[in-house]
């Protein structure tokens, strides 16, 4: 109806751009489908029980990624245990305690800067600081602490946002009943912000699982099975680093695609749970 | 009776003894928690300081030894003859980022417009999930797919000895920056007041004309932020392009094998011996990369500040 009254050139403009918008929207989807489809197509046949439950053995000439799965879990546990109190604490300070505006803007500027720093720089400085200066050996400890610095901004920002959604009337009510500030935060503010903090943690775990550049020279390339305490100071490749090693240094493309499949499944699970928790938050 | 109690408490909080007693009992804990949270907040600041100081301390010696001009504008990078000029590497990073922006921004922006203004909510939700997933894919996975699908395709298409080229890196980078461009510009587009669009529609413009001539210009500062964020992501990416760019420190050309600032650090650190000039030069590359990122950050802050003032 509307289009009938348009001049030909305007109609062309309208139709042309509308088509372009549809093309770009579907291109984005197609890219994702292509990438995920190709990874599953190449990787799923090679995700075998043997691959998942053994370690690479030169004697038997077999490849197993159990050590790398464990190293990834070690890294996630270590980094989260440290970053969670630190990040939540920083967010609490920024939203509940800080009175000096200048200080707040300095801390916020620092967190923003940390967000923008590429992971290879974190890896470089992590290596310089934890390994050259402090003197630890390459391992999960140095890698995990490097990751802590890297994901700190994610935790601070998501916690801050969810703390801000807690209505001030809750705080006032609690304070009016005679609660101290810390008591109020512990019993009223934090429980009401827990969903947002959980979402932040899930996002952070996603970043840790997918990180590679920061881990190359901090956690290392080692493919040997270790328990948690040994791995702290012995070279331990995470899943992503193992993918890189198998793909570009060993030419084991099939193993690399199997690892990529596992990483994609993890990414799917992480995204799904983050959006589920997020939806609960909205309610 | 009740009223009296309340009244007493209010009075008490001003001068009365009971309130004072409670306060003094809690005070040490409150002070302790305040300090503790303050320290948590300062950790981020300390990290930024440590990173900056460390990069300068470890990056400067090699620059001074080689000479700033020779280091920044020398075109030869050969570890064996101790030639450490990173001009070609800098140019590669810049042209790779520029290429990714040229391909990624139009597609990302169009997708954002599609999501915010044209697609019906159900379809938009599906695409939204897709974009979030794209953002979550680890960079080594992008690198792997690029290495197995894209690199051979480029080799065949252009009849080259190897397909690991700047072009492959640009394509991988432009896909990787899509999610951040889409989500940031979509937010900006959705924030444009409805009145602007209604005024344009009332004047007889079609929906598409309104979107492109009113909504997009009104959201330009948000879109600029998205582009700058994309630049930051592209220039800092290492593991995806290390697998597709070939890693030879040539002057950049679309179909030549190249080395980026990030990939130089990632690929050479493992064999540069401790204490050598080579290793120090890699730290200097880290410093140069860091300065690039800080420039982008400052630029971004100026933009965001402008937006807040406007």
């Amino acid at each position: 109806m509307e289009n009938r009254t348009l001049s030909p050139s305007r109609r062309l403009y309208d139709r042309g751009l509308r088509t372009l918008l549809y093309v770009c929207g579907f291109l984005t989807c197609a890219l994702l489908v292509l990438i995920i489809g190709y990874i599953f197509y190449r990787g799923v046949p090679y995700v075998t029980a043997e691959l998942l439950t053994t370690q690479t053995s030169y004697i038997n000439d077999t490849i197993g990624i159990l050590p790398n799965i464990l190293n990834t879990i070690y890294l996630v546990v270590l980094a989260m245990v440290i970053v969670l109190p630190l990040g939540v604490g920083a967010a609490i300070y920024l939203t509940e305690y800080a009175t000096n505006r200048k200080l707040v803007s300095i801390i916020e500027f620092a967190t923003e800067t940390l967000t923008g720093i590429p992971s290879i720089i974190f890896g470089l400085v992590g290596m310089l600081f934890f390994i050259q200066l402090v003197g630890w050996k390459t391992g999960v400890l140095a890698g995990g602490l490097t990751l802590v610095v890297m994901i700190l901004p994610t935790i601070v920002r998501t916690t801050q946002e969810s703390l801000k959604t807690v209505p001030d009337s809750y705080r006032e009510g609690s304070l009016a009943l005679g609660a101290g500030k810390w008591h109020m935060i512990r019993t009223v503010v934090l429980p009401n912000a827990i969903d947002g903090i959980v979402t932040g943690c899930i996002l952070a775990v996603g970043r840790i699982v997918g990180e590679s550049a920061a881990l190359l020279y901090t956690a290392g390339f080692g493919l040997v099975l270790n328990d948690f305490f040994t791995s702290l100071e012995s070279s331990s490749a995470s899943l992503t680093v193992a993918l890189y090693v198998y793909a570009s240094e060993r030419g084991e493309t099939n193993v690399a695609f199997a690892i990529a499949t596992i990483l994609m499944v993890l990414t799917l699970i992480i995204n799904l749970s983050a959006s589920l928790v997020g939806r609960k938050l909205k309610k | 009776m009740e009223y009296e109690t309340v009244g007493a408490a209010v009075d008490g909080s001003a001068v009365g003894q009971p309130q004072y007693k409670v306060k003094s009992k809690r005070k040490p804990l409150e002070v302790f928690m305040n300090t503790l949270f303050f320290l948590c907040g300062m950790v981020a600041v300390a990290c930024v300081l440590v990173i900056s100081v460390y990069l300068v301390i470890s990056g400067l010696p090699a620059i001074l030894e080689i000479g700033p001009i020779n280091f920044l504008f020398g075109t030869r990078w050969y570890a064996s003859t101790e030639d450490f000029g990173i001009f070609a590497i800098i140019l590669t990073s810049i042209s790779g980022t520029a290429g990714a922006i040229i391909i990624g921004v139009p597609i990302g922006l169009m997708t954002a417009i599609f999501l915010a203004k044209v697609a019906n909510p159900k379809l938009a939700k599906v695409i939204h999930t897709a974009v979030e997933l794209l953002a979550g894919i680890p960079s080594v996975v992008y690198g792997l797919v690029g290495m197995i699908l894209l690199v051979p395709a480029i080799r065949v298409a252009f009849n080259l000895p190897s397909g690991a080229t700047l072009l492959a890196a640009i394509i991988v980078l432009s896909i990787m920056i899509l999610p951040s461009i889409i989500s940031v510009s979509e937010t900006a587009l959705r924030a444009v007041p409805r009145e602007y669009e209604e005024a344009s529609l009332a004047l007889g413009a079609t929906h598409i004309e309104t979107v492109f001539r009113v909504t997009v210009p009104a959201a330009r500062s948000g879109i600029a932020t998205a582009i700058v964020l994309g630049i930051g992501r592209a220039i800092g990416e290492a593991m995806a392009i290390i697998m597709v760019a070939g890693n030879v420190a040539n002057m950049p050309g679309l179909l030549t094998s190249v080395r980026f600032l990030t990939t130089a650090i990632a690929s050479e650190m493992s064999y540069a011996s401790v204490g050598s000039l080579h290793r120090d030069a890699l730290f200097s590359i880290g410093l140069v990369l860091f300065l690039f990122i800080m420039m982008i950050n400052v630029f971004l802050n100026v933009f965001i500040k402008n937006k807040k003032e406007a």
Side-chain angles (χ1 to χ4, degrees):
Chain A
M1 268 283 275
E2 191 192 11
N3 279 357
R4 219 175 287 162
T5 58
L6 291 177
S7 69
S9 65
R10 280 182 73 192
R11 196 179 305 167
L12 189 68
Y13 180 89
D14 197 293
R15 285 279 160 79
L17 282 177
R18 189 178 285 271
T19 319
L20 200 61
L21 290 180
Y22 272 88
V23 168
C24 285
F26 284 107
L27 187 66
T28 308
C29 279
L31 273 174
L32 180 82
V33 172
L34 178 82
I35 292 173
I36 293 187
Y38 188 71
I39 290 167
F40 282 177
Y41 165 72
R42 290 286 308 260
V44 170
Y46 298 96
V47 183
T48 57
E50 195 203 337
L51 183 79
L52 294 178
T53 54
T54 60
Q55 61 173 321
T56 296
S57 154
Y58 294 102
I59 301 169
N60 304 334
D61 198 24
T62 56
I63 290 177
I65 57 165
L66 181 64
N68 312 111
I69 296 175
L70 287 179
N71 289 336
T72 305
I73 295 173
Y74 298 158
L75 282 167
V76 169
V77 171
L78 182 71
M80 289 313 291
V81 164
I82 299 173
V83 83
L84 193 59
L86 210 58
V88 172
I92 290 177
Y93 181 74
L94 286 173
T95 44
E96 310 289 334
Y97 280 96
T99 42
N100 186 339
R101 266 194 113 93
K102 212 166 208 173
L103 195 62
V104 172
S105 70
I106 290 176
I107 296 177
E108 281 183 344
F109 177 75
T111 5
E112 259 170 50
T113 310
L114 281 182
T115 319
I117 295 178
S119 45
I120 185 81
I121 299 268
F122 283 113
L124 195 66
V125 178
M127 182 192 74
L128 282 167
F129 190 84
F130 295 121
I131 292 167
Q132 281 195 2
L133 185 79
V134 182
W136 290 333
K137 294 200 185 75
T138 314
V140 168
L141 187 57
L145 288 178
T146 308
L147 289 176
V148 164
V149 182
M150 206 182 82
I151 57 178
L152 183 63
T154 316
I155 302 279
V156 173
R157 196 156 12 87
T158 45
T159 309
Q160 227 185 325
E161 264 161 34
S162 60
L163 286 180
K164 278 179 190 160
T165 60
V166 178
D168 272 342
S169 54
Y170 288 22
R171 296 189 176 88
E172 284 156 10
S174 165
L175 288 175
L177 287 172
K181 196 153 197 177
W182 165 236
H183 190 256
M184 168 198 83
I185 291 170
R186 192 161 47 91
T187 54
V188 177
V189 179
L190 282 181
N192 280 296
I194 196 76
D195 289 1
I197 299 175
V198 171
T199 315
C201 289
I202 297 172
L203 291 175
V205 170
R207 269 202 84 181
I208 298 175
V209 170
E211 184 49 50
S212 45
L215 294 174
L216 280 181
Y217 299 108
T218 53
F221 298 86
L223 300 172
V224 184
L225 190 63
N226 283 319
D227 64 77
F228 180 73
F229 293 101
T230 322
S231 73
L232 285 178
E233 289 206 54
S234 56
S235 177
S236 321
S238 69
L239 278 173
T240 45
V241 174
L243 191 163
Y244 171 68
V245 171
Y246 285 122
S248 57
E249 284 170 17
R250 300 252 187 115
E252 297 278 0
T253 318
N254 294 335
V255 178
F257 271 106
I259 300 177
T261 307
I262 297 168
L263 285 173
M264 282 314 302
V265 171
L266 288 177
T267 311
L268 285 171
I269 294 173
I270 287 166
N271 271 34
L272 198 70
S273 41
S275 71
L276 280 179
V277 176
R279 207 172 297 158
K280 210 182 142 204
L281 178 73
K282 266 182 195 162
K283 276 178 190 169
Chain B
M1 187 63 197
E2 249 178 32
Y3 175 75
E4 267 179 20
T5 330
V6 174
V10 169
D11 285 339
S13 72
V15 282
Q17 266 187 339
Q19 186 72 16
Y20 181 70
K21 245 184 187 169
V22 172
K23 241 186 179 175
S24 69
K25 206 173 101 192
R26 284 207 182 109
K27 218 173 180 187
L29 177 69
E30 288 299 328
V31 171
F32 173 72
M33 293 317 286
N34 195 341
T35 324
L36 188 69
F37 289 134
F38 170 72
L39 290 177
C40 289
M42 292 315 280
V43 166
V45 180
C47 288
V48 172
L49 285 179
V50 167
I51 290 174
S52 320
V53 168
Y54 251 83
L55 280 174
V56 171
I57 291 179
S58 49
L60 268 187
I63 297 184
L64 294 179
E65 192 172 337
I66 300 161
I69 306 283
N70 283 340
F71 179 70
L72 287 177
F73 296 104
T75 52
R76 289 162 48 84
W77 173 276
Y78 293 115
S80 50
T81 56
E82 300 235 315
D83 280 323
F84 297 112
I86 61 166
F87 194 55
I89 303 177
I90 292 180
L91 280 187
T92 301
S93 269
I94 292 175
S95 51
T97 305
I101 293 295
I102 290 170
I103 301 178
V105 167
I107 299 178
L109 185 56
M110 289 291 183
T111 308
I113 296 174
F114 182 69
L115 285 176
K117 298 291 164 190
V118 178
N120 68 45
K122 247 184 193 164
L123 184 62
K125 210 173 172 192
V126 172
I127 300 181
H128 222 113
T129 317
V131 172
E132 270 168 22
L133 273 175
L134 273 180
I137 298 179
S139 50
V140 278
V141 173
Y142 279 109
L144 178 67
V145 175
M147 188 173 103
I148 302 300
L149 272 186
L150 197 60
V151 169
I154 290 177
R155 191 193 64 213
V156 172
F158 296 96
N159 199 14
L160 299 167
S162 159
T165 57
L166 178 60
L167 179 64
I170 286 179
I171 295 175
V172 170
L173 281 179
S174 52
I175 297 173
M176 291 187 71
I177 63 172
L178 270 185
S180 42
I181 290 185
I182 293 175
S183 55
V184 177
S185 32
E186 192 198 342
T187 314
L189 287 167
R190 283 192 195 278
V192 172
R194 262 198 79 77
E195 290 79 14
Y196 290 18
E197 290 162 12
E198 280 163 1
S200 161
L201 290 171
L203 288 171
T206 64
H207 180 58
I208 295 288
E209 283 170 335
T210 304
V211 166
F212 277 89
R213 297 196 176 153
V214 176
T215 316
V216 171
R220 65 179 178 276
S221 76
I223 294 170
T225 309
I227 296 174
V228 179
L229 282 176
I231 294 177
R233 251 206 104 173
I235 208 163
E237 180 52 50
M239 297 312 285
I241 49 181
I242 201 174
M243 297 165 86
V244 298
N247 286 320
V248 182
N250 288 322
M251 281 304 242
L254 262 193
L255 298 177
T256 49
S257 169
V258 288
R259 170 174 291 169
F260 291 78
L261 288 170
T262 49
T263 59
I265 302 172
S267 62
E268 289 181 36
M269 194 56 82
S270 54
Y271 60 82
S273 46
V274 178
S276 65
L277 182 62
H278 183 197
R279 194 175 164 91
D280 286 348
L282 291 178
F283 295 144
S284 309
I285 293 185
L287 178 60
V288 171
L289 179 62
F290 184 66
L291 290 180
F292 268 108
I293 294 289
M294 289 312 275
M295 264 154 52
I296 291 170
N297 262 1
V298 169
F299 191 68
L300 197 63
N301 266 340
V302 171
F303 250 116
I304 289 172
K305 264 184 197 148
N306 278 354
K307 204 175 83 180
K308 272 179 189 161
E309 277 162 19

